[in-house]
Amino acid sequence: MITLGKYLEAVARGRTSEAIVKLMGLQPKTARVIRKGKEELPVKLVVVGDVIAVRPGKRIPVDGVILEGYSSVDESVLTGESIPVEKKAGSEVVGATINKTGGLQVSSHERRARYRSGTDHPAGGTGPGFKGADSEISGPNCRNLCAHGHWYCLAHFCDLVFSPR
C-alpha cells in the first residue's frame, strides 16, 4: 500500500515537472529592455531590476512588477482561468503570460529566489498542511493501515462501481 502511494507520488511529480518544462517553453526568447533606448536582448541576459517594455498581444518575458501601464493579462497558462486579469502599476506579473490590451513597463525580479531548497519549491516537497505527515505513519498506525487497508480499497472500489450517477 505504501509502495503504491510512493509510486503515485513519483508519477505526479514527474507530470508536474513535465508541466513546468512545457510552461518554460512558452517563455519568449527575447525581451525589449529599456537601458539606453530599447534593446532587443535574449531573456537570459535580463538582470533583476531591468525595465522591460511589453507591447499588447505579446508574452511577458520575465516575472516582475508593473511600473507603468494598465492592461488585462491572460494568466490561463498558470491558472486555467479563461478571463484575463486586470493589471496596473504595482501589480505583479508572471513570465509567459500574455499582455492583452495595453502597453506595460515591467521591472524584472527573481521569483525563484523565494524557493531556496527543493522542499520549499512548489513542485517538490510537501505542502504546509502535510508537515509531519510522513512521520505519522508509524507503529500502530502503520499496522492498522497494512491490516485493514485492503478493506478500505475494496469498499472504495465498490462505491465507485455501484453508486448511481
Side-chain angles (χ1 to χ4, degrees), residues 33-124:
V33 179
I34 302 172
R35 287 185 183 159
K36 297 174 184 168
K38 292 183 181 176
E39 304 176 41
E40 194 81 20
L41 293 175
V43 173
K44 293 179 180 179
L45 298 179
V46 175
V47 296
V48 174
D50 274 348
V51 177
I52 298 156
V54 184
R55 294 180 286 180
K58 298 291 183 182
R59 289 192 185 272
I60 298 171
V62 294
D63 298 341
V65 177
I66 297 176
L67 299 175
E68 282 185 33
Y70 179 83
S71 181
S72 57
V73 176
D74 180 1
E75 296 180 342
S76 62
V77 294
L78 297 174
T79 63
E81 179 63 42
S82 60
I83 299 172
V85 179
E86 299 296 319
K87 300 285 186 172
K88 59 183 178 181
S91 300
E92 287 195 7
V93 291
V94 180
T97 56
I98 301 171
N99 178 24
K100 288 293 211 180
T101 56
L104 298 174
Q105 287 191 3
V106 178
S107 174
S108 65
H109 69 69
E110 183 85 25
R111 179 177 299 270
R112 291 178 301 273
R114 294 183 193 166
Y115 309 114
R116 287 178 171 56
S117 68
T119 57
D120 292 341
H121 194 276

